[in-house]
């Protein structure tokens, strides 16, 4: 299975909104809503921020939102803050009963 | 609050078997799927495989021939064995709960080197 495709880097100024794409195939992203997003700060374990495409755990800021269209999912961070600078990964269930992560996106707050 | 803790050797020789254990701090091990995920230094996340309490498992096709994940519900822990390791298996190994992966261990660095 191939990793889901994400842009290597995305940047924005404080207060702006940015969107990270996650492109898969009909064997993963396009087949299920079992699509989640993770935030990882340097030296730390990943943290779940979005699950089932557009659901946010209660402890996660409402500045994070998710969506999906066809084989592509997206994560939007609105009102960008310095603390949002991190790596972000999408992950999808697949038709082979496996999971696959995205290639990862480094978010830089200018 | 439930916690996960990875444990095992931090150094493994090439061609040998990497063995790790993930301890779950309460008795919820029978209620979830449990996964192993790794991250080579400076690189992205790679899902290795999962196991359920009935022993049902699934593995990343790229690792399937070398991986075995087992669960011991009596001891609230599950384990990973990866055989015939090479330098490419050097990574931080995480254990995680469920899907979505809503709870992660801190991770443990395993280096493959002679």
């Amino acid at each position: 299975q191939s990793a889901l495709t994400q842009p290597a880097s995305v940047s924005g100024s404080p207060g702006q909104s940015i969107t990270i794409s996650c492109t898969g195939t009909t064997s993963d992203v396009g087949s299920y809503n079992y699509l989640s997003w993770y935030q990882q700060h340097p030296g730390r374990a990943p943290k779940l921020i979005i699950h089932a495409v557009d659901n946010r755990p209660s402890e996660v800021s409402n500045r994070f939102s998710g969506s999906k269209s066809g084989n592509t999912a997206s994560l939007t961070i609105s009102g960008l803050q310095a603390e949002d600078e991190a790596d972000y990964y999408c992950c999808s269930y697949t038709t082979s009963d496996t999971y696959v992560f995205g290639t990862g996106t480094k978010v830089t707050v200018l | 609050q439930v916690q996960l803790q990875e444990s095992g050797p931090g150094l493994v020789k090439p061609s040998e078997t990497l063995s790790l254990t993930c301890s779950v701090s309460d008795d919820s091990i029978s209620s979830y799927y449990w996964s192993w995920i790794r991250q080579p230094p400076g690189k992205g996340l790679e899902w290795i495989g999962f196991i359920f309490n009935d022993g049902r498992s699934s593995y990343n096709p790229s690792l399937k021939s070398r991986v075995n994940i087992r669960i011991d519900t009596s001891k609230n822990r599950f384990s990973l064995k990866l055989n015939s390791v090479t330098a490419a298996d050097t990574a931080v190994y995480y254990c995680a709960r469920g899907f979505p992966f809503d709870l992660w261990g801190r991770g443990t660095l395993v280096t493959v080197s002679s």
Side-chain angles (χ1 to χ4, degrees):
Chain A
Q1 60 191 23
S2 298
L4 308 177
T5 301
Q6 299 180 230
S9 63
V10 174
S11 62
S13 299
Q16 286 186 330
S17 293
I18 61 170
T19 296
I20 301 168
S21 61
C22 168
T23 301
T25 68
T26 53
S27 296
D28 37 63
V29 178
S31 283
Y32 304 102
N33 286 333
Y34 297 126
L35 190 290
S36 51
W37 289 91
Y38 302 86
Q39 176 193 61
Q40 186 181 33
H41 287 107
R44 303 291 298 274
K47 172 189 174 183
L48 174 68
I49 55 173
I50 294 288
H51 66 95
V53 176
D54 58 1
N55 290 270
R56 192 177 53 249
S58 57
E59 69 274 16
V60 173
S61 170
N62 59 9
R63 296 184 300 102
F64 294 92
S65 61
S67 63
K68 191 186 86 165
S69 177
N71 297 336
T72 298
S74 298
L75 172 71
T76 297
I77 309 175
S78 58
L80 199 62
Q81 299 180 359
E83 66 206 48
D84 301 331
E85 188 161 291
D87 294 326
Y88 292 82
Y89 296 90
C90 58
C91 185
S92 176
Y93 182 63
T94 81
T95 55
S96 299
D97 192 29
T98 62
Y99 294 101
V100 61
F101 279 98
T103 50
T105 298
K106 181 177 180 60
V107 169
T108 301
V109 181
L110 302 172
Chain B
Q1 184 174 353
V2 180
Q3 294 184 336
L4 305 182
Q5 179 66 58
E6 304 91 349
S7 61
L11 181 64
V12 181
K13 290 182 168 54
S15 79
E16 295 191 345
T17 297
L18 179 159
S19 296
L20 296 174
T21 297
C22 181
S23 298
V24 183
S25 63
D26 68 6
D27 59 0
S28 63
I29 195 165
S30 295
S31 303
Y32 295 92
Y33 285 83
W34 303 93
S35 284
W36 286 99
I37 295 160
R38 71 180 183 178
Q39 185 172 37
K43 296 187 178 182
L45 299 170
E46 180 180 36
W47 176 78
I48 299 171
F50 73 66
I51 193 161
F52 193 54
N53 67 353
D54 62 0
R56 185 173 95 83
S57 60
S58 177
Y59 302 123
N60 187 319
S62 68
L63 299 170
K64 190 173 184 177
S65 64
R66 300 194 292 130
V67 173
N68 188 251
I69 298 176
R70 294 195 173 187
I71 191 168
D72 186 341
T73 55
S74 67
K75 296 183 178 179
N76 295 331
R77 67 188 189 191
F78 60 105
S79 63
L80 167 71
K81 288 190 184 298
L82 179 67
N83 59 38
S84 305
V85 297
T86 69
D89 295 311
T90 293
V92 175
Y93 285 76
Y94 296 99
C95 55
R97 182 180 74 178
F99 188 80
F101 307 121
D102 63 350
L103 180 67
W104 296 65
R106 289 188 170 187
T108 186
L109 174 63
V110 179
T111 301
V112 178
S113 174
S114 55

